[in-house]
């Protein structure tokens, strides 16, 4: 592609996959049994390894120090989920819907950097990784175009929501995202 003057696709990094993804989801990815693709805009396909998918998913999880089903996460809080839902839109929120679809609703303007559907995020991501990612996406993946919402890793520009506390706001978003599979 570079020889033809075209930029090659930016493929997702597998570096943090054992920390990032729940092993059950990773297993389906490696088996090739997912019913849809998390990043449909990417032409490249992940090869399937059905005979070794389970072992690879567990190994990747263990590589990052996690047990098979280990994913410590807060108990669901409906009040935080309601606040998180208000943080999704552009008006009064973080404008997540610009790049991320939510279920069957597509992103509004993904430009050249669409994000995964937030429904997929709820099914795929471990809580610990999500928190690390939200605080500093540019430090987790330098090629990612996700904006940094908490420059000081403590507060966001949305001072009127949860006193601008980035950790609490990101937690509220997490609680909302976890409601998506039930909707």
């Amino acid at each position: 592609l570079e020889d033809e003057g075209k930029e090659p696709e930016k493929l997702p990094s597998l570096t943090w996959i054992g920390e990032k993804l729940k092993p059950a989801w990773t297993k389906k990815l490696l088996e090739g049994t997912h019913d849809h693709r998390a990043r449909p805009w990417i032409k490249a396909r992940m090869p399937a390894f059905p005979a070794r998918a389970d072992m690879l998913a567990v190994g990747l999880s263990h590589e990052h120090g996690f047990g098979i089903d280990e994913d410590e996460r807060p108990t669901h809080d409906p009040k935080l989920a309601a606040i998180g839902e208000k943080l999704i839109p552009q008006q009064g929120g973080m404008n997540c819907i610009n790049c991320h679809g939510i279920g069957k609703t597509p992103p509004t303007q993904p430009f050249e950097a669409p994000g995964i559907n937030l429904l997929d995020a709820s099914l795929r991501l471990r809580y610990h990784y999500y928190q690390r990612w939200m605080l500093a996406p540019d430090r987790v993946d330098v090629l990612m175009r996700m904006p940094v919402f908490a420059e000081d890793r403590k507060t966001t520009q949305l001072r009127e929501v949860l006193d601008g506390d980035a950790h609490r706001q990101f937690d509220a978003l997490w609680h909302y995202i976890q409601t998506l599979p039930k909707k």
Side-chain angles (χ1 to χ4, degrees):
L1 289 173
E2 287 174 338
D3 291 343
E4 296 173 11
K6 298 177 184 173
E7 189 171 326
E9 284 186 306
K10 300 219 179 346
L11 300 177
S13 171
L14 298 178
T15 302
W16 304 107
I17 195 168
E19 175 193 7
K20 177 181 184 176
L21 303 177
K22 297 176 184 177
W25 196 93
T26 304
K27 179 183 174 194
K28 282 185 165 184
L29 172 70
L30 297 173
E31 285 175 335
T33 59
H34 276 296
D35 56 355
H36 73 285
R37 298 176 56 215
R39 293 179 173 91
W41 59 88
I42 295 179
K43 292 179 184 140
R45 303 282 192 266
M46 177 71 181
F49 306 98
R52 293 187 169 74
D54 188 48
M55 176 182 59
L56 287 168
V58 170
L60 289 166
S61 183
H62 287 345
E63 177 184 33
H64 291 278
F66 289 99
I68 296 171
D69 293 322
E70 184 178 347
D71 184 21
E72 292 182 29
R73 50 182 56 211
T75 304
H76 179 68
D77 183 335
K79 289 179 184 174
L80 276 179
I83 292 169
E85 185 172 14
K86 292 176 183 171
L87 289 170
I88 295 288
Q90 181 178 14
Q91 286 290 63
M94 296 179 182
N95 198 15
C96 306
I97 59 171
N98 197 45
C99 299
H100 296 277
I102 300 176
K104 293 183 181 182
T105 305
T108 57
Q109 300 176 5
F111 301 110
E112 76 283 351
I116 67 165
N117 192 299
L118 295 181
L119 172 60
D120 287 332
S122 72
L123 301 171
R124 297 170 22 138
L125 298 180
R126 292 182 194 256
Y127 175 74
H128 172 78
Y129 179 86
Y130 164 83
Q131 282 292 341
R132 191 165 75 85
W133 171 262
M134 289 299 292
L135 282 173
D138 58 332
R139 294 194 66 185
V140 175
D141 185 348
V142 295
L143 299 176
M144 194 55 56
R145 300 211 175 164
M146 172 98 167
V148 177
F149 292 106
E151 292 288 338
D152 63 357
R153 300 178 117 199
K154 295 177 185 172
T155 56
T156 70
Q157 297 292 326
L158 300 171
R159 302 281 194 236
E160 64 282 355
V161 179
L162 300 172
D163 300 322
D165 184 311
H167 291 274
R168 291 175 57 209
Q169 288 178 3
F170 298 154
D171 239 11
L173 281 169
W174 172 264
H175 284 273
Y176 169 66
I177 291 168
Q178 298 309 303
T179 69
L180 296 176
K182 296 174 186 135
K183 291 185 177 186

